[in-house]
């Protein structure tokens, strides 16, 4: 009895899903059918009767192709947990140049609005994913749509057949009911292989996207490295170097005063010793900002715990294992956590934070949650955008959940060897 109930529930769910697949796959063919009906209604005698149907087909297909493909991806993800990447090209930030013109990655425009419009249309027409969507809208009705139409067609045949007095019609109705009910749990499943086969980016497109991504990462790494070098030079010039120059002058003066004014010489030497201590502290802080010693000595987890102790937040660290990873990955994760804690204090006005460091089959997984006011998002040129770029250099990802009013939860994942 329990198996029958389970099968009946599966048949009902499958029937509904099959109907959804049929409706979604027939959205674009419905536009084509409407265009044909419009042409027939207008009449073949009118020499311009073909214009409106052709325009309707072109505009309707272009307007519906991307929403239909998004619906298919969403259905596959919800029903089978299979994620089919969209693969659409992302628009680059529109930048205003020193000449006053706006650069959108393709051309210069006088206004930001013109630059955005030109960029949108260029990406729309040059993105191979759009042509892939158009191909899918023609393939889906003939593959997944036809298979998914079996259960509703069988039920429709049963309704029509049982409504007829003839025995043959009733037999056809019974056969349609059996086919529809038996195929309901399985007919909708064809949508997954069809979507995975025809909606995924081709190897050439994936390779091109990967090359573009690596090129952008290389540019970001170069810019970040140059900025870090400038920061180190500025800190050395304004801090330790200035103090060491003053220390040398104080020692030279003390040497001259050693015979004539020993007390003044000793006072200068005491000041020089204090300056040397301060310079040493600044150098240690500078080295800590480049690569914290605790990170090298004790690993990521203990370094994060030390960071939590120094934070003004009431931060708790949870880690299931002691991790020793490659130094670049540990450094990126450490400074990513440090930036998130700084943002929680500076922008979210949080009082508590929870840091979770774990490792699974995918790699290093870090969650940072605070009780701040929320509203965090990735903005061009912002700290979170920089963090996302740093993680992307290791094929890492950054996920943010920050509704207004909080809490803010940021997840970082960096692939690494298990």
């Amino acid at each position: 009895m329990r198996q029958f109930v389970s099968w009946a529930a599966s048949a009902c769910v499958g029937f509904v899903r099959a109907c959804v697949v049929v409706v979604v796959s027939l959205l674009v063919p419905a536009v084509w059918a409407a265009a044909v009906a419009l042409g027939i209604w207008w009449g073949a005698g009118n020499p311009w009767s073909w214009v409106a149907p052709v325009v309707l087909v072109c505009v309707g297909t272009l307007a519906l192709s991307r929403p239909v493909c998004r619906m298919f991806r969403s259905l596959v993800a919800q029903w089978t947990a299979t994620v089919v990447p969209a693969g659409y090209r992302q628009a680059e930030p529109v930048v205003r140049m020193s000449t006053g013109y706006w650069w959108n990655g393709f051309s210069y425009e006088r206004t930001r609005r013109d630059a955005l419009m030109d960029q949108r249309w260029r990406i729309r027409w040059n993105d191979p994913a759009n042509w892939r969507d158009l191909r899918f809208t023609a393939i889906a009705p003939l593959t997944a749509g036809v298979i998914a139409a079996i259960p509703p067609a069988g039920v429709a045949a049963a309704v029509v057949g049982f409504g007829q007095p003839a025995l043959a019609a009733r037999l056809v109705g019974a056969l349609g009911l059996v086919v529809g009910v038996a195929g309901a749990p399985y007919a909708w499943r064809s949508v997954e292989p069809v979507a995975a086969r025809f909606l995924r980016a081709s190897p050439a497109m994936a390779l091109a996207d990967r090359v573009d991504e690596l090129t952008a990462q290389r540019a970001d790494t170069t810019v970040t490295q140059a900025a870090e070098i400038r920061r180190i030079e500025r800190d050395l010039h304004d801090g330790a170097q200035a103090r060491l120059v003053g220390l040398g002058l104080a020692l030279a003066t003390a040497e001259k005063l050693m015979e004539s004014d020993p007390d003044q010489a000793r006072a200068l030497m005491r000041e020089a010793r204090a300056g040397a201590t301060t310079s040493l502290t600044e150098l240690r802080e500078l080295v800590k900002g480049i690569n914290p010693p605790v990170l090298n000595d004790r690993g990521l987890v203990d370094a994060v715990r030390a960071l939590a102790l120094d934070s003004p937040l009431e931060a708790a660290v949870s880690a299931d294992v002691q991790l020793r990873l490659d130094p670049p990955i540990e450094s990126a994760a450490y400074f990513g956590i440090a930036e998130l804690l700084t943002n929680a204090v500076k922008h979210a006005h949080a009082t508590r934070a929870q840091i979770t460091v774990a490792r699974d089959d995918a790699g290093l997984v870090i969650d940072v949650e605070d009780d701040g006011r929320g509203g965090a998002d990735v903005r061009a040129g912002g700290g979170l955008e920089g963090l996302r770029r740093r993680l992307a250099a290791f094929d890492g990802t950054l996920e943010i959940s920050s509704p207004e009013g909080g809490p803010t939860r940021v997840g970082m994942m960096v692939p690494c060897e298990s």
Side-chain angles (χ1 to χ4, degrees):
M1 183 63 182
R2 182 178 300 175
Q3 293 180 351
F4 175 78
V5 173
S6 176
W7 180 88
S10 176
C12 293
V13 173
F15 181 80
V16 173
R17 291 181 176 180
C19 293
V20 172
V21 172
V22 171
V23 171
V24 175
S25 62
L26 290 181
L27 288 176
V28 174
V31 174
W32 302 343
V36 173
L38 178 61
I40 295 174
W41 174 79
W42 212 327
N46 189 344
W48 299 101
S49 61
W50 58 273
V51 175
V54 170
V55 172
L56 178 60
V57 167
C58 295
V59 174
T61 302
L62 291 175
L64 289 176
S65 60
R66 182 170 290 190
V68 166
C69 293
R70 284 177 174 170
M71 283 188 281
F72 267 103
R73 292 189 184 96
S74 177
L75 294 176
V76 170
Q78 293 177 9
W79 294 345
T80 66
T82 300
V83 178
V84 181
Y88 298 116
R89 289 183 177 176
Q90 301 298 320
E92 297 293 333
V94 176
V95 181
R96 188 171 188 178
M97 310 303 292
S98 58
T99 58
Y101 284 82
W102 293 83
W103 171 251
N104 60 12
F106 301 96
S107 63
Y108 294 96
E109 302 294 338
R110 291 183 177 274
T111 64
R112 185 174 185 272
R113 177 178 175 274
D114 293 341
L116 289 173
M117 185 178 299
D118 178 75
Q119 181 190 63
R120 186 180 303 112
W121 281 107
R122 286 178 183 267
I123 292 178
R124 184 80 178 185
W125 287 107
N126 296 328
D127 192 352
N130 293 319
W131 305 108
R132 184 179 68 234
D133 290 351
L134 291 174
R135 181 190 64 178
F136 182 79
T137 55
I139 294 175
L142 303 177
T143 53
V146 171
I147 299 174
I150 293 176
V155 173
V159 171
V160 174
F162 289 145
Q164 301 295 327
L167 179 60
R170 292 178 178 271
L171 291 176
V172 172
L175 179 61
L177 181 62
V178 171
V179 172
V181 174
Y186 312 104
W188 65 270
R189 298 182 184 275
S190 62
V191 70
E192 179 185 6
V194 172
R197 170 62 180 84
F198 295 105
L199 277 182
R200 289 186 186 276
S202 65
M205 294 169 57
L207 180 60
D209 292 340
R210 182 58 175 166
V211 170
D212 293 340
E213 180 182 355
L214 292 176
T215 302
Q217 290 177 6
R218 183 183 64 181
D220 289 337
T221 302
T222 303
V223 173
T224 303
Q225 182 181 19
E228 186 67 13
I229 291 175
R230 289 194 298 270
R231 182 188 69 83
I232 295 173
E233 291 177 346
R234 183 176 62 254
D235 291 345
L236 287 174
H237 182 273
D238 297 341
Q241 178 178 324
R243 291 187 181 277
L244 290 176
V245 171
L247 175 62
L249 293 175
L251 290 176
T253 305
E255 183 180 3
K256 294 179 180 179
L257 295 176
M258 189 64 70
E259 298 294 337
S260 60
D261 193 350
D263 294 335
Q264 183 67 22
R266 282 192 292 268
L268 288 175
M269 294 183 69
R270 285 193 297 268
E271 293 179 1
R273 183 175 60 186
T277 302
T278 304
S279 299
L280 181 60
T281 302
E282 290 181 352
L283 288 173
R284 286 174 176 171
E285 291 296 326
L286 180 61
V287 171
K288 183 179 178 181
I290 299 173
N291 194 16
V294 66
L295 189 61
N296 292 330
D297 298 338
R298 305 185 62 179
L300 177 62
V301 174
D302 287 339
V304 172
R305 289 195 173 106
L307 182 66
L309 291 176
D310 293 337
S311 173
L313 294 174
E314 183 182 339
V317 180
S318 173
D320 53 359
V321 290
Q322 285 290 337
L323 301 173
R324 290 316 305 250
L325 307 172
D326 291 339
I329 296 179
E330 287 188 337
S331 179
Y334 175 85
F335 286 108
I337 295 173
E339 182 161 352
L340 293 176
L341 292 180
T342 301
N343 290 343
V345 175
K346 183 178 179 181
H347 301 294
H349 303 292
T351 58
R352 292 189 303 274
Q354 174 66 41
I355 306 169
T356 303
V357 182
R359 191 171 183 173
D360 58 11
D361 296 336
L364 178 66
V365 180
I366 300 174
D367 287 327
V368 179
E369 184 175 354
D370 64 68
D371 63 347
R373 60 186 181 184
D377 59 349
V378 179
R379 290 185 293 269
L384 293 178
E385 174 65 20
L387 177 57
R388 173 170 287 176
R389 290 199 304 267
R390 289 198 297 270
L391 295 178
F394 304 96
D395 287 334
T397 58
L398 180 72
E399 296 181 357
I400 301 174
S401 174
S402 182
E404 291 293 339
T408 297
R409 186 169 182 263
V410 181
M412 297 184 289
M413 196 283 292
V414 181
C416 57
E417 295 182 357
S418 58

